[in-house]
Amino acid sequence: AQKVTQAQTEISVVEKEDVTLDCVYETRDTTYYLFWYKQPPSGELVFLIRRNSFDEQNEISGRYSWNFQKSTSSFNFTITASQVVDSAVYFCALSEGSGGYQKVTFGIGTKLQVIP
Amino acid sequence: GAVVSQHPSWVICKSGTSVKIECRSLDFQATTMFWYRQFPKQSLMLMATSNEGSKATYEQGVEKDKFLINHASLTLSTLTVTSAHPEDSSFYICSVSILLGIQYFGAGTRLSVL
């Protein structure tokens, strides 16, 4: 069975601080995908990134960066110079398999509050 | 722009009535859609996988007679909460999977059953 653990349920930072959201996953498959989604107060989930299990390159997109470490089964998400608009619940997710429409397992989410 | 349209965004109903929620894929043909339920401050719980032209696949513990899913076309799936009760009050979200594993979500429907 696949499992996603987000140990931080709530984080508060002051604007412009950097913050890292942790994600640890469990899977027996060698092929899998990892995701991060953002859920702002409005409720609609927004896709941020997908990473497949064969690509351990870290990725940077603006103020967002992701660190994928297969050795520790972690896929952490860092926001640099945080802004109030970053306040949201962030979900890490995992899907197994190499094709088709795979079910996605979500972590419990980390609520990030950026204080002005 | 939005990939998935979900309607209504908010519904209040009396106990015992049925509520239908629509999920439309706007730009893509979706043979598979997903329905989730989210309780306050909790994660998304997959309820069922909706398959176009066939019966939905329900997750363990989800009552198929309670939550009726119809996926009649490649762009529309509906979830009907039958004989709704206060414990059915929740946030219901649909999604469409287009590229391997990536799901695009609707804006969600907040159901309040009085």
Side-chain angles (χ1 to χ4, degrees):
Chain A
Q2 56 189 36
K3 183 179 176 181
V4 178
T5 301
Q6 294 180 256
Q8 308 147 304
T9 53
E10 293 193 36
I11 302 176
S12 290
V13 298
V14 177
E15 199 171 21
K16 297 184 182 178
E17 286 184 346
D18 298 347
V19 59
T20 295
L21 310 181
D22 298 333
C23 174
V24 174
Y25 62 92
E26 293 178 33
T27 178
R28 294 181 180 177
D29 273 21
T30 56
T31 302
Y32 53 89
Y33 292 90
L34 295 163
F35 308 84
W36 277 95
Y37 286 87
K38 174 182 180 180
Q39 186 178 37
S42 62
E44 182 174 356
L45 279 91
V46 177
F47 166 75
L48 295 179
I49 189 172
R50 181 192 71 178
R51 172 67 70 223
N52 75 55
S53 53
F54 299 106
D55 182 3
E56 284 194 74
Q57 281 190 333
N58 292 328
E59 183 157 338
I60 298 174
S61 176
R63 297 184 296 107
Y64 295 170
S65 63
W66 292 269
N67 184 294
F68 178 26
Q69 298 273 352
K70 286 182 76 171
S71 60
T72 56
S73 297
S74 64
F75 187 43
N76 296 336
F77 173 29
T78 298
I79 301 174
T80 58
S82 60
Q83 299 176 2
V84 174
V85 293
D86 296 327
S87 297
V89 179
Y90 291 87
F91 291 96
C92 180
L94 164 72
S95 73
E96 294 171 316
S98 58
Y101 301 101
Q102 304 299 327
K103 287 194 298 187
V104 177
T105 299
F106 288 84
I108 197 168
T110 298
K111 182 178 181 180
L112 173 65
Q113 183 179 15
V114 181
I115 304 167
Chain B
V3 176
V4 179
S5 172
Q6 187 172 341
H7 178 81
S9 57
W10 197 303
V11 59
I12 301 173
C13 69
K14 292 183 179 180
S15 185
T17 60
S18 294
V19 175
K20 180 184 283 188
I21 302 169
E22 292 188 348
C23 181
R24 293 183 183 274
S25 176
L26 297 180
D27 297 319
F28 300 91
Q29 293 184 332
T31 56
T32 301
M33 295 185 180
F34 300 92
W35 287 96
Y36 294 86
R37 183 174 182 177
Q38 186 180 29
F39 291 102
K41 297 186 180 182
Q42 293 190 26
S43 188
L44 284 76
M45 182 191 78
L46 179 65
M47 298 175 66
T49 302
S50 171
N51 303 298
E52 187 267 336
S54 64
K55 292 182 179 180
T57 303
Y58 290 82
E59 295 300 298
Q60 191 173 10
V62 178
E63 299 175 60
K64 58 183 67 178
D65 294 331
K66 174 74 171 178
F67 300 100
L68 299 178
I69 292 173
N70 184 286
H71 194 152
S73 75
L74 288 171
T75 59
L76 175 65
S77 175
T78 60
L79 167 67
T80 301
V81 183
T82 62
S83 187
H85 288 94
E87 58 265 29
D88 298 323
S89 298
S90 190
F91 190 55
Y92 293 88
I93 312 172
C94 71
S95 73
V96 171
S97 183
I98 298 169
L99 299 175
L100 287 173
I102 298 175
Q103 294 191 19
Y104 292 91
F105 289 84
T109 298
R110 295 191 184 279
L111 172 62
S112 296
V113 185
L114 305 177

